[in-house]
Amino acid sequence: MSARTTSYTPLYDPEKDALGYVPPLSAALDQARLVLAEKATANIHDHDDMIRAAVGLEMRLRQLVAALEAEGRA
């Protein structure tokens, strides 16, 4: 059986996309709220809107999780 190849680029690659800066939890939470409000009006029938929403939400969620983890270690 041959090795399976992927023909897409994932949203997140841990080797290339690790967060360099982790904001304070309050800032990460504020940013998450802002992007949630912004993406709430995205047109579900517009492919580009859905891509932008997915990427924006994914980025802020990763930032929020990193801030929560950092807060737990402090």
Side-chain angles (χ1 to χ4, degrees):
M1 193 176 342
S2 64
R4 192 170 186 187
T5 60
T6 58
S7 61
Y8 69 93
T9 303
L11 281 176
Y12 180 75
D13 181 349
E15 292 181 16
K16 295 187 303 185
D17 300 326
L19 292 175
Y21 165 72
V22 177
L25 181 56
S26 61
L29 190 54
D30 288 344
Q31 290 298 313
R33 286 183 176 125
L34 286 172
V35 83
L36 276 171
E38 176 185 315
K39 301 307 177 187
T41 60
N43 180 353
I44 196 165
H45 301 289
D46 184 323
H47 181 74
D48 290 338
D49 265 6
M50 290 297 97
I51 296 293
R52 284 189 291 275
V55 172
L57 291 166
E58 188 267 346
M59 290 170 55
R60 291 301 177 202
L61 181 57
R62 286 196 181 281
Q63 189 180 57
L64 183 57
V65 168
L68 282 167
E69 289 175 345
E71 182 93 356
R73 286 188 225 132

